[in-house]
Amino acid sequence: DAGITQSPRHKVTETGTPVTLRCHQTENHRYMYWYRQDPGHGLRLIHYSYGVKDTDKGEVSDGYSVSRSKTEDFLLTLESATSSQTSVYFCAISVKGRTGELFFGEGSRLTVL
Amino acid sequence: AQTVTQSQPEMSVQEAETVTLSCTYDTSESDYYLFWYKQPPSRQMILVIRQEAYKQQNATENRFSVNFQKAAKSFSLKISDSQLGDAAMYFCAYRSYNNAGNMLTFGGGTRLMVKP
């Protein structure tokens, strides 16, 4: 158990509304990631963070922003949700000393109507 | 950018039989990691097996083994003595050894069904 919790686990919202997903870790790992999972596309990287206030874009960052004001929390924000952002969102961490693998949270299912 | 391709959207296997899931990747790098993750209906992502490109020996973990063909850029997963609990989505993933961000690139996934 890598001590990752995501909230909310399920959310239904309407087009145009802002949404924030939270990822919380308990072990002060430096690297955190947000991925989205869609059928046929696997998991695609949205944004990642390599420290407090240090973030960078991934493959599918348009329409998303992130923030990391504390080591343990990594927030993903959809400023104005669209139906194309209906997806399952996973937070992940990279653990120092482990060889390359990522540890994932349980996912957050977001439906944008 | 690296790409990972899983050409089999769905596979099925009879319980106790053997099945092989395919994965190919595209990279110009020589040092990297490859992974297979399992995602059961619970949605949890579980690491099944890992291979480091500099190792010629194929990785094995109990009933799971890989066939790593570096020149062909192929990384298949073999599941022996399939069990009902093996039914899941399986994702192949790539990570550059020199990737400062440590991120993984995933394939599109293969859904494995196990028939009793």
Side-chain angles (χ1 to χ4, degrees):
Chain A
D1 184 4
I4 307 169
T5 56
Q6 293 185 226
S7 59
R9 296 288 311 283
H10 301 273
K11 186 171 182 66
V12 179
T13 191
E14 297 199 345
T15 298
T17 60
V19 176
T20 295
L21 306 180
R22 178 179 182 245
C23 178
H24 178 78
Q25 59 147 328
T26 59
E27 300 180 2
N28 293 321
H29 296 295
R30 180 181 174 193
Y31 289 89
M32 299 183 74
Y33 309 83
W34 278 108
Y35 282 86
R36 62 176 286 174
Q37 181 181 1
D38 304 289
H41 292 279
L43 282 78
R44 293 178 291 175
L45 182 66
I46 305 171
H47 283 278
Y48 70 99
S49 170
Y50 47 97
V52 173
K53 297 184 180 179
D54 291 324
T55 65
D56 206 349
K57 296 179 180 180
E59 177 188 358
V60 290
S61 60
D62 286 350
Y64 301 95
S65 62
V66 290
S67 64
R68 194 167 177 200
S69 58
K70 299 184 290 184
T71 300
E72 59 266 35
D73 289 328
F74 191 32
L75 304 181
L76 176 70
T77 297
L78 292 66
E79 300 289 348
S80 177
T82 68
S83 58
S84 65
Q85 293 175 312
T86 293
S87 187
V88 178
Y89 292 85
F90 283 93
C91 176
I93 62 172
S94 176
V95 176
K96 187 176 182 180
R98 300 293 292 265
T99 312
E101 68 200 79
L102 298 186
F103 293 85
F104 288 84
E106 295 179 315
S108 297
R109 179 176 293 279
L110 175 67
T111 302
V112 183
L113 302 176
Chain B
Q2 291 80 21
T3 58
V4 179
T5 302
Q6 295 178 247
S7 59
Q8 307 151 316
E10 286 191 354
M11 294 279 286
S12 66
V13 62
Q14 204 72 34
E15 194 175 6
E17 297 294 309
T18 295
V19 65
T20 299
L21 308 184
S22 300
C23 173
T24 58
Y25 56 94
D26 184 25
T27 184
S28 59
E29 299 175 326
S30 59
D31 294 323
Y32 48 87
Y33 305 102
L34 295 164
F35 307 88
W36 279 99
Y37 278 85
K38 171 184 178 182
Q39 185 183 48
S42 67
R43 216 163 60 193
Q44 184 65 46
M45 292 287 287
I46 303 165
L47 179 68
V48 175
I49 202 164
R50 166 181 50 234
Q51 176 80 41
E52 292 157 274
Y54 71 88
K55 292 184 177 179
Q56 294 185 342
Q57 186 173 7
N58 289 325
T60 62
E61 288 287 343
N62 300 314
R63 297 182 296 106
F64 298 86
S65 62
V66 299
N67 183 6
F68 173 47
Q69 301 288 330
K70 190 173 185 180
K73 299 179 183 176
S74 170
F75 183 61
S76 59
L77 175 69
K78 185 171 83 171
I79 306 174
S80 304
D81 185 25
S82 297
Q83 301 175 359
L84 295 178
D86 294 333
M89 284 291 293
Y90 287 83
F91 294 98
C92 178
Y94 170 101
R95 198 208 111 173
S96 167
Y97 187 80
N98 295 314
N99 181 345
N102 299 336
M103 68 282 285
L104 302 187
T105 300
F106 287 85
T110 296
R111 180 175 301 281
L112 178 66
M113 295 172 284
V114 181
K115 300 177 182 179

